[in-house]
Amino acid sequence: MASTYTSSPQSDQLKSQLRLHLIVFIWGFTAILGDLITLQAISLVFYRIGISLLVLWPFVWIFRRGHSPPAKSRILLMLTGFLIALHWVTFFHAIKISNISITLACLSSGSLFGALFEPIFFKRKLRLYEVVLGLVVIVGISTIFAVETQYAWGIATALTSASLSALFSTINGLWVRNHKPTVISTYELTGGFLMLTVWLLIRGDLSVGQAMSISSSDWGYLFVLGTICTAYPFIEAVRVMKHLNPFTVLLTINLEPVYGIVLAYLIFGEKEQMSPAFYFGTLLILCAVMANGVIERYRRRAISRRKAQDSAT
């Protein structure tokens, strides 16, 4: 997501920080809904995206201000949406075959996957600290694997989801140079929705009868998932970045697995209670991710200072 950050009054920054924490809390609650909804992961994501698009498309239409990507870009954006749909399908499937804590712990490694993808897409060298922090993440994941062997497939699926998240986020780093984040998100979700529609039609799992068989509680959870947990964060995340710097946003978003794991324990109790080694492995992953953000911030500051000194001389 591109940053439109500008220096703002402290009151605006405080309000934006509170809204950002609310967004991250909502994202953490997404995993809870994924566990509560009884649909298979593919159908769950199909209805999630469909509901969110009913909200996002009017928003983009009203605020597009004449901006519409070229036809080629629209097609490529929708193809990127294929990755988003796969990310969400593997995310919810991981929850179904393991639990929320396992899935969120592994998903928090996404930032370090991104550090591996970025040199490829942006044609730069891999930095030493990224390699070191990547090794720390591997140790953390290995620790979780070692003590939670009954969730091996869930861990593997969650790591696949984390890598897909990092991949499409890196690709969006290229898209955001020329297009608005809301436009990018909406076209990508549209592409993901079309892909899932074809998939479900081929499987024979998409019909009026199938929709009618969904329970009222599942429809209620799906509505919350599609609106409050998907459409609202997409729109609000753009707004808060007008008042917060990217570093603050990055570190706050890394709290998502923390919020989600705590919520899961409070709501589901013993089902989400894990071994001490699991929490140690999760802590290693989170520390590595946050350390990456801190180092990157100081690296960018050093580059800015050097440029300023060079221009002054």
Side-chain angles (χ1 to χ4, degrees), residues 31-251:
I32 306 297
L33 292 172
D35 198 329
L36 292 172
I37 296 171
T38 60
L39 299 178
Q40 290 185 345
I42 298 174
S43 298
L44 189 161
V45 175
F46 170 80
Y47 288 109
R48 174 189 188 176
I49 297 178
I51 293 169
S52 65
L53 285 174
L54 291 176
V55 178
L56 285 171
W57 264 114
F59 179 85
V60 171
W61 180 261
I62 293 171
F63 295 102
R64 71 190 189 283
R65 297 176 182 175
H67 177 82
S68 181
K72 181 180 179 181
S73 294
R74 290 199 294 268
I75 293 172
L76 292 174
L77 282 168
M78 287 192 287
L79 288 175
T80 306
F82 177 81
L83 297 176
I84 295 177
L86 282 179
H87 157 62
W88 278 342
V89 169
T90 50
F91 171 72
F92 288 114
H93 185 59
I95 291 174
K96 301 291 185 184
I97 63 176
S98 57
N99 63 22
I100 295 170
S101 298
I102 288 288
T103 303
L104 289 177
C106 295
L107 197 69
S108 62
S109 65
S111 296
L112 273 301
F113 277 113
L116 298 177
F117 288 134
E118 190 177 317
I120 299 172
F121 285 87
F122 289 87
K123 295 180 173 59
R124 67 164 177 81
K125 292 182 179 179
L126 188 65
R127 302 183 184 105
L128 178 60
Y129 72 84
E130 292 173 338
V131 175
V132 173
L133 293 177
L135 292 174
V136 174
V137 169
I138 291 173
V139 172
I141 293 171
S142 299
T143 303
I144 295 173
F145 253 119
V147 297
E148 306 295 344
T149 54
Q150 72 273 30
Y151 297 126
W153 279 112
I155 294 171
T157 306
L159 290 174
T160 301
S161 181
S163 64
L164 288 168
S165 173
L167 181 58
F168 78 71
S169 295
T170 305
I171 293 173
N172 279 349
L174 300 174
W175 282 120
V176 83
R177 293 174 175 178
N178 301 308
H179 305 292
K180 293 182 179 180
T182 48
V183 173
I184 293 171
S185 300
T186 305
Y187 276 103
E188 287 178 343
L189 289 178
T190 300
F193 182 75
L194 292 175
M195 182 271 289
L196 291 177
T197 300
V198 173
W199 192 345
L200 289 171
L201 284 172
I202 292 173
R203 285 172 41 130
D205 290 338
L206 187 61
S207 65
V208 175
Q210 291 282 349
M212 293 293 290
S213 66
I214 298 175
S215 67
S216 57
S217 60
D218 274 350
W219 274 119
Y221 292 140
L222 284 169
F223 179 78
V224 174
L225 181 62
T227 55
I228 297 174
C229 295
T230 306
Y232 168 74
F234 265 123
I235 297 170
E236 190 66 16
V238 177
R239 188 180 305 170
V240 300
M241 290 194 76
K242 294 180 181 178
H243 306 291
L244 299 175
N245 62 61
F247 178 73
T248 300
V249 174
L250 175 65
L251 286 190

Side-chain angles (χ1 to χ4, degrees), residues 7-28:
S7 181
S8 305
Q10 285 190 349
S11 59
D12 288 339
Q13 291 187 21
L14 178 59
K15 290 177 183 177
S16 294
Q17 284 180 340
L18 292 174
R19 288 203 298 268
L20 179 58
H21 276 280
L22 176 61
I23 292 170
V24 176
F25 181 84
I26 288 171
W27 281 336

